[in-house]
Amino acid sequence: MFFFMMVTFNMNAQQAKKLSSYVRPLIGTEKMGHTYPGATVPFGAVQLSPETDTISYELNGKYNGDVYKYCAGYRYEDKTITGFSHTHFSGTGHSDLGDFLIMPTVGTLKLNPGTATHPENGYRSRFSHEDETAEAGYYKVKLQDYNILAELTATTRVGAHRYTFPKSDQAHIILDLMAGVYNYDDKNVWTYVRVADNQTITGYRQTNGWARTRTVYFAMKFSKPFKSYGQKNYDGKRVYNGFWRKFDQTKNFPEIGGKQIRMYFDFNTEENEAIEIQMAISPVSQENALENLNKEAGQLSFDQIKAKAQEDWDKELSKIVIKGTEDQKINFYTAMYHTFINPTIYIDINGEYKGLDQNTHQAKDFTNYTTFSLWDTYRALHPYFNIIQPKRNNDMVKSMLAHYDQSSLKMLPIWSHYANENWCMSGYHSVSVVADAIIKGNYTGDAKAALMACVATANKRNYEGIGDYIDKGYIPAEKNGTSVSNTLEYAYDDWAIAQLAKHLGETEIYNQFIKRSENWKNNFDKTIGFMRPRLADGSFKKDFDILSTHGQGFIEGNSWNYSFFVPHNPDGLIEYMGGKKKFASKLDKLFSMHLPDEFFADTEDITREGIIGGYVHGNEPAHHVAYFYNWTGEAWKTQKQVRHILEMQYKSTPDGLGGNDDTGQMSAWYILSSLGFYPVAPGSEDYAIGSPAVENAILHLENGKNFEIEAVNQKPENVYVEKILLNGKEIKNFTLKHSEIMNGGKLTFYMSNKPKK
């Protein structure tokens, strides 16, 4: 069926190519993109990628601002590679991971990575983008200082390396167990390595970082026996070393323990001899890591693993087949690639995983996932999954409910990874993801238990001002630096809980939370027409700047963007802002104003490239705002702005994203908006209709049905919609329902270069 559709859309052989060929993993690696170009499979536990420097999180006892550039480990502007590690985040504004760095070298053994200015002093190597290839599921680069060709690919739980060496009797493969992303001296809690034989190594690494108790186990196999091996322990002087000092543990010693360890393995190589490495990871044990390795990779060659990885990517990417320009296809399928990286599978092949309680659990009816950046992804990524990846999203919701069951605080995840809650960002947005999935018929668990987990999370009085929020209807500014944004986000989340309660017939819970969902009104200052911090005595904060992002009660945004954060009640917000005409005028000003240079002084993750007027697309709180014109009777302005954002904020270049991709949220916005609709308020069946950018798209749904989108008379200048037909029947309210998509059929847009006012 897929082949038929491609032939139908693209009649020449050149265009009828694999969709993975349009993916550009290097898009978004520069500036604020924080993506990485390495090798992974869809939602893979292993995300194998190069590291380009060793910037420390700490500098002179304080936060080192330069480390922010390395959230993904890889920076496009760098000239050296320090090695290839197995775990990464994609597009986040904070970081962790970077486990088990491997680096091949020749010549004199060096166990220090050196510096970017003097790479010759360490094991790192220079490289050029001209010698670099990045594809979905595959990465290749020439390490210039060693004349070694490095290639990477992966299975779900196994990273596969192939290093092609020159002739040498001093070939080395370094395993750096100190290296990490957002690293600092005390991040490693403990490391253990066991050399089972001259080709097999197992071990684990425990770290204290963003996740404060994170343990990753590994099993590693070489395709060729090493002739010798050794290690250097950088722990420094310890008060007590036990009686292991009886042994020389630096060379050919099979059991190593310490905080700061680098190992090396020595080989003799012939010219163009390839040494392959398979490294599996596990959240549970070395034994499980070895089982993951043997069952997923086993006797497979590097080329066989690569072929399977790219086959997996083509299968996932073919869930949406579009017709458009080559540049659109690059942007679209790169965006799909980004959306299918996170969340990540966090379970061994035998069904075991480590829970939030640090115990081993057996998943009975779901695949466990981690990496939940929920402040970002509840907005569009998870609603997009409910259309394109409903089975996976069902498992993700079950993973969140397992998190709740294992939580000592009995809360759903806020921002969680690797059996840890890191409490990053605001809101309790897992409730939105849970509600959206259940309301859209995409949850096979106990819906009533899920509702009660949402209620318990929303009533956790000692978390982030919730007690004051419940008692006062807002969070006093004296008590919380992000009081306004927290109140607004809680209000939306409470609306989502109310919708779930209504769906399940729980009237009392519905009444309680629909009332709480109106708490946004308590931070709206009608005298100025903006959201504003409020003090405990009920008065509004006097010293207030609607443009500033610092100290004004908001997180990653200002009042101009957050004042529109009432996605669940646009009509109520319009009334508070003075009616449709004034509301539309304020939206116009948002998209056309000029921000002064001082606006950027306190923003680490936003540059001018990430904004349109005062609209900050790179920070998600305003992602729904362009669609608000639909509620003002001026839907043509939504159409114009959506197409403008698509054009300005997404480009097929290394700096092509207007902000962090945030584990797929930015990309999900692009995909849904390119198709012509967007979930303004997840937890509702409704999508707001915008302006499609593609000529044609077919969504191959998991239920076996197809949903086709066609844009008649599509041209770059034809951004306006004259008429919309769903299965031949006209849509006039600019609303598309989830059930209408999932039932299959055809949505037809008639495009024009003139607005229909």
Side-chain angles (χ1 to χ4, degrees), residues 28 32-35 90-92 334-335 338-339 376-377 618 620 650 657 659-668:
M32 302 307 172
H34 291 165
T35 59
S90 177
T92 57
T334 299
H338 285 152
T339 61
D376 310 291
T377 58
E620 283 85 347
Y650 300 88
L657 294 178
N660 298 331
D661 193 55
D662 286 315
T663 68
Q665 166 58 26
M666 286 276 285
S667 291

Side-chain angles (χ1 to χ4, degrees), residues 80 216 536 549 591 594 651:
T80 65
V216 190
T549 61
F591 285 104
H594 177 77
K651 301 180 186 298

Side-chain angles (χ1 to χ4, degrees), residues 369-402:
Y369 284 80
T370 190
T371 315
F372 289 120
S373 180
L374 291 161
W375 185 84
D376 310 291
T377 58
Y378 85 88
R379 305 169 196 271
L381 184 69
H382 286 284
Y384 160 73
F385 286 163
N386 277 327
I387 299 171
I388 296 300
Q389 296 280 5
K391 291 179 181 177
R392 289 190 192 270
N393 201 59
N394 181 36
D395 284 348
M396 291 171 192
V397 172
K398 288 185 176 182
S399 301
M400 295 178 195
L401 269 298

Side-chain angles (χ1 to χ4, degrees), residues 269-287:
T269 56
E270 299 298 325
E271 187 69 25
N272 293 323
E273 180 179 357
I275 297 177
E276 295 186 13
I277 302 170
Q278 294 177 351
M279 176 178 273
I281 64 173
S282 163
V284 173
S285 68
Q286 298 169 78
E287 182 182 18

